[in-house]
Amino acid sequence: MNVSAIDWAVFWPPVRLSLQVALLSSVIAAVFGIAVAWKMSRTSFRGKIFLETAFMLPLVLPPTVVGFILLVLLGRKSVLGQWIEAIFSAPVIFSWWAAVIASVVVAFPLVYQTMKSGFSGIDKDLEDAGRSIGANEWQVFRYISLPLAGRALMTAFILGFARALGEFGATLMIAGNIPGKTQTVPTAIYVAVDSGNQTMAWMWTGSIIIISFIMLLLTRQPRDGKA
C-alpha cells in the first residue's frame, strides 16, 4: 500500500464524522439506557417482558429493517418527519443527525442490557439504607446506585460507542452516503471497495479497527489490579 498516494483530504472527513456521530449517539443512548434500565430493574408490572423484548429488537433485527422503519417514521411524508421539518426548517433524513438517530437506536440495547445487569447486581439493602435516612429516589440513584454501577456504566458507554461507530445498514438507509456530510467510515469503505480503491478501503478499515480495539480494550481493564 502506497501511503504517499493517499488523499488525506478524502480520508479524514468520514473518520471525523464517525467519531462525532459515535460520541454523540453513545452519550444519548447512555442517558436513556441508564434511566430506563434503572427503572426497569426496580419495578415489576404486567407486560414487562414484552417491553424489554421490544427494547432488544434492534440488536437482532437486520440493520436494513431498522433503517426502513426509521425511514417510514422520520420521512417527509410522516407526521413526525413533517413536525421535525417544521421546527428545524429542514428534514432530518439525509442529514448527519439521521446517522446519530440510527446509531442511538442500534446502540441502545447494548447500553440498556449492560446497565440493567449493573443495577441488578447492587445490594438493595444499601439503597434501602439510604432511603431510611431520608434520601429521595433521585438521591439514592445519584449517590448510591450510579456510583456502585460505575464499571457497568463505563462498559455500557464504550460498547455503545463501538456499536455506533460500526453502524452501516440503518445509517445508509436514512442518512445516505453524502461525502463530507453524511458519509461515515463504514459507508466510505463500502464505496471504496465498490470502486476498486483498495488503498482507501484498507486505510479506513485500519482506522476503525484501531479505534474499536482501543475502546474494547478499555472494557477489559483489570478490576482492583487483578487481571
Side-chain angles (χ1 to χ4, degrees):
M1 182 173 61
N2 186 6
V3 178
S4 62
I6 296 173
D7 188 343
W8 295 104
V10 174
F11 171 79
W12 285 115
V15 176
R16 285 195 296 266
L17 182 60
S18 287
L19 291 173
Q20 180 179 340
V21 168
L23 181 60
L24 181 56
S25 59
S26 57
V27 170
I28 296 173
V31 170
F32 283 100
I34 291 169
V36 175
W38 188 70
K39 187 68 175 178
M40 294 293 283
S41 65
R42 296 297 180 271
T43 58
S44 180
F45 54 88
R46 181 177 297 179
K48 178 179 177 180
I49 187 172
F50 294 102
L51 183 58
E52 289 192 301
T53 301
F55 289 156
M56 300 304 294
L57 268 180
L59 192 62
V60 297
L61 286 175
T64 50
V65 173
V66 176
F68 174 71
I69 293 173
L70 290 175
L71 189 62
V72 172
L73 291 175
L74 301 174
R76 304 188 73 172
K77 293 183 178 180
S78 71
V79 174
L80 182 57
Q82 292 173 355
W83 179 72
I84 293 174
E85 187 170 354
I87 293 177
F88 297 101
S89 301
V92 68
I93 299 298
F94 300 120
S95 69
W96 79 276
W97 278 104
V100 172
I101 293 172
S103 297
V104 169
V105 171
V106 298
F108 176 82
L110 285 174
V111 175
Y112 168 76
Q113 191 59 42
T114 304
M115 287 309 304
K116 185 186 173 188
S117 298
F119 288 136
S120 297
I122 296 174
D123 187 349
K124 291 182 174 56
D125 289 341
L126 296 175
E127 295 176 332
D128 290 338
R131 296 184 183 99
S132 69
I133 59 175
N136 57 36
E137 289 303 310
W138 165 249
Q139 291 172 326
V140 169
F141 170 76
R142 170 65 180 85
Y143 296 106
I144 300 176
S145 304
L146 196 58
L148 289 175
R151 187 172 179 83
L153 173 60
M154 183 186 73
T155 301
F157 177 81
I158 291 174
L159 290 178
F161 182 95
R163 180 64 185 87
L165 186 67
E167 167 51 34
F168 172 74
T171 299
L172 189 62
M173 290 283 288
I174 68 170
N177 183 44
I178 306 172
K181 185 178 179 182
T182 65
Q183 187 180 65
T184 58
V185 171
T187 56
I189 293 172
Y190 175 81
V191 172
V193 172
D194 189 55
S195 62
N197 191 341
Q198 294 293 317
T199 298
M200 293 303 296
W202 272 113
M203 287 296 295
W204 279 316
T205 298
S207 69
I208 205 167
I209 287 175
I210 291 171
I211 295 170
S212 299
F213 182 84
I214 293 173
M215 297 304 292
L216 289 175
L217 186 63
L218 292 176
T219 69
R220 305 293 299 172
Q221 290 301 304
R223 191 171 187 177
D224 299 328
K226 297 179 180 179

